[in-house]
Amino acid sequence: MRQFEVAAGGSLAGTLRVPGDKSVSHRAIMFSAIAEGSSRITGFLESADCLATLKAFESMGVDYRSEGDALIVDGRGLHGLCAPSGALDLGNSGTSMRLLSGLMAGQSFDSVLTGDASLSRRPMRRVIDPLTRMGARISAQDGERAPLTIHGGQTLQAIDYTPPVASAQIKSCVLLAGLYAQGTTTVHEPGVSRDHTERMLDAFGVRLEREGATLSLAGGQPLHAFDVAVPADLSSAAFFLVGACIGHGSRLRLTDVGINPTRRGVIDILQAMGARITLSNERLQAGEPVADIDVQASDLHGIDIGADMVELAIDEFPALFVAAACARGTTRLTGAAELRVKESDRIAVMAEGLRTLGVEVSVADDGMTVVGRPDADAFHGGRIASHEDHRIAMAFAMAGLRSSAPIVIDDCDYVDTSFPGFVALARGVGLSIAARQAS
Ligand code: S3P
């Protein structure tokens, strides 16, 4: 396993484009695979998670090739996938497993979806329940964990469904199954969640109605090939936004970043904390809003973050907790129990790491309070367990910018699930980070 060592202090400066958006990349592969015709995907994120999705479709007979900087996927139509010869190994990727569950439920053949130890611990009842109500037959470990065996050849019926939590993964799973169902599937969102599925289905020619928080889609609609330009991932940019805010004297430009309103919570939260962040060159790229983002070192102050902001920044709280530790005053997050069922329990794991670095935190079932230390070095050095969670590793790497001594982070291989090349890119804008193989 790789270990990161980050030297104390420093600042970030320059211009960078972080790799492509993970959520958009997954969907681009899935939708092109079941579309009619060949789709051209540029900016595809070649991370372990998205490559797991690509390999899953390859094993179901989908052909793809590189052409310059584009990935061309030859779609097989809604009913053209073939039975895979073995289990579909989705590694660490919750998005692959939950979205594919919906898609596989509508196939004529059986499939088995497996993942690594972390993915095998994550809750799958949230997709098994609605799919079972649609007529899918799914068996799981203890009824709720991967591996999932999805028995094909079932006739799915549309449902009217309200997920128990606001989740783009549940919503997308049900909508994808709805493509294969008889009748019109309706999902009532209990709260806002990222809408990449809706935007991209629309781009692929599917008629999907939205009325307030209610989405509906008629089954049997074909998808038509589309050229997807994947924006840079705001969730990856978030580490640099936080790094530049906390690193004294920093000044950074992040280009071509997705700023979808259902994802941009990290920008709004940091701005509410006093961050000097400005957006320019705002434009629409293949149905997704994109901008360049300038960020400078900022005097942050603590704020209260309530449930209404949680899903809008769901993946960015590890980075935001690091920002909170450098802010004047206290930051309180509530309504965020979902953080406990991500790649790690991100409340427990961030609290453990922040305490290791000398930060005062208190933990609740659904959130955390962080007492900021704005003047002195916010952190003393130490050795952090990332708990094999990519975002924990990258968040603590940024903490080095405000630490009085080096920070060592264990088990960093998982960074490649979302952000291959993180170390080189971070070094390029001034972070003193080295990766080495730990014995
Ligand atoms: C994702 C949705 C989010 C997010 C995940 C990616 C997606 O999960 O945490 O990293 O691509 O749909 P939930 O929708 O379950 O909150």
Side-chain angles (χ1 to χ4, degrees):
M1 271 284 187
R2 249 179 323 157
Q3 191 179 57
F4 290 169
E5 178 160 351
V6 192
S11 59
L12 303 182
T15 298
L16 80 163
R17 187 194 194 276
V18 298
D21 189 283
K22 181 155 75 74
S23 294
V24 174
S25 294
H26 279 302
R27 288 160 173 81
I29 296 298
M30 294 180 191
F31 297 178
S32 332
I34 58 167
E36 282 161 19
S38 296
S39 299
R40 188 183 170 82
I41 306 169
T42 48
F44 174 70
L45 173 64
E46 289 187 27
S47 74
D49 278 13
C50 298
L51 291 173
T53 292
L54 185 60
K55 293 285 164 211
F57 283 97
E58 183 180 29
S59 70
M60 291 188 283
V62 175
D63 288 333
Y64 63 88
R65 61 196 172 278
S66 295
E67 242 178 55
D69 62 350
L71 180 67
I72 314 293
V73 178
D74 296 332
R76 296 184 63 94
L78 210 49
H79 299 286
L81 298 177
C82 314
S85 54
L88 303 176
D89 182 358
L90 305 172
N92 195 243
S93 177
T95 305
S96 309
M97 186 162 286
R98 297 209 177 100
L99 271 60
L100 270 177
S101 304
L103 214 144
M104 302 321 294
Q107 304 305 316
S108 57
F109 51 84
D110 293 353
S111 52
V112 179
L113 310 186
T114 64
D116 66 9
S118 155
L119 187 54
S120 306
R121 282 192 297 269
R122 295 182 67 186
M124 294 297 153
R125 191 178 286 285
R126 51 182 60 194
V127 291
I128 296 172
D129 279 350
L131 293 174
T132 304
R133 280 184 49 192
M134 295 177 85
R137 275 186 51 226
I138 303 177
S139 16
Q141 291 294 99
D142 307 321
E144 57 184 341
R145 315 258 170 223
L148 306 181
T149 301
I150 304 183
H151 303 278
Q154 314 301 314
T155 304
L156 302 186
Q157 300 295 336
I159 50 168
D160 190 301
Y161 190 65
T162 305
V165 288
S167 159
Q169 294 182 349
I170 304 177
K171 166 177 69 179
S172 305
C173 166
V174 175
L175 291 174
L176 284 172
L179 281 175
Y180 291 89
Q182 294 184 339
T184 296
T185 295
T186 301
V187 179
H188 307 279
E189 288 205 83
V192 178
S193 69
R194 64 190 65 189
D195 66 0
H196 303 303
T197 293
E198 298 91 302
R199 286 172 187 261
M200 208 185 288
L201 280 177
D202 181 65
F204 276 79
V206 172
R207 255 183 84 88
L208 187 141
E209 312 286 338
R210 173 181 278 280
E211 232 185 272
T214 298
L215 294 161
S216 43
L217 158 157
Q221 298 186 62
L223 281 72
H224 300 288
F226 181 72
D227 291 345
V228 183
V230 181
D233 197 330
L234 178 57
S235 298
S236 298
F239 303 106
F240 291 94
L241 291 178
V242 167
C245 283
I246 67 172
H248 293 306
S250 295
R251 195 182 193 104
L252 211 54
R253 167 167 287 193
L254 292 143
T255 58
D256 205 21
V257 186
I259 52 156
N260 181 314
T262 60
R263 284 282 294 281
R264 56 167 281 159
V266 64
I267 297 173
D268 299 330
I269 291 169
L270 284 172
Q271 284 177 332
M273 294 175 77
R276 296 198 288 165
I277 293 178
T278 52
L279 272 52
S280 60
N281 195 16
E282 290 188 39
R283 58 207 185 270
L284 210 58
Q285 187 178 289
E288 288 284 346
V290 168
D292 299 333
I293 306 179
D294 287 287
V295 51
Q296 295 179 52
S298 310
D299 291 326
L300 300 179
H301 55 82
I303 58 166
D304 286 349
I305 307 168
D308 56 325
M309 288 305 291
V310 169
E311 185 64 17
L312 304 180
I314 187 72
D315 292 336
E316 286 67 75
F317 286 102
L320 285 167
F321 290 141
V322 167
C326 302
R328 179 166 28 86
T330 297
T331 297
R332 261 179 235 91
L333 171 69
T334 51
E338 274 294 295
L339 292 186
R340 293 197 177 273
V341 292
K342 292 296 176 185
E343 287 84 329
S344 69
D345 175 343
R346 286 182 175 160
I347 293 177
V349 169
M350 282 305 297
E352 174 191 278
L354 288 171
R355 284 182 181 131
T356 300
L357 298 181
V359 180
E360 191 185 331
V361 301
S362 60
V363 161
D365 287 347
D366 71 337
M368 186 151 85
T369 299
V370 179
V371 181
R373 300 213 310 163
D375 320 313
D377 293 313
F379 310 101
H380 58 62
R383 184 164 177 176
I384 301 290
S386 71
H387 290 260
E388 303 184 342
D389 183 332
H390 53 139
R391 301 203 198 277
I392 302 288
M394 291 185 275
F396 280 114
M398 291 300 163
L401 292 160
R402 283 285 283 277
S403 184
S404 57
I407 297 176
V408 172
I409 307 159
D410 286 324
D411 294 341
C412 294
D413 281 355
Y414 285 81
V415 165
D416 292 347
T417 62
S418 66
F419 200 151
F422 169 74
V423 169
L425 221 50
R427 287 173 66 88
V429 292
L431 190 70
S432 298
I433 180 170
R436 59 164 179 250
Q437 216 53 43
S439 45

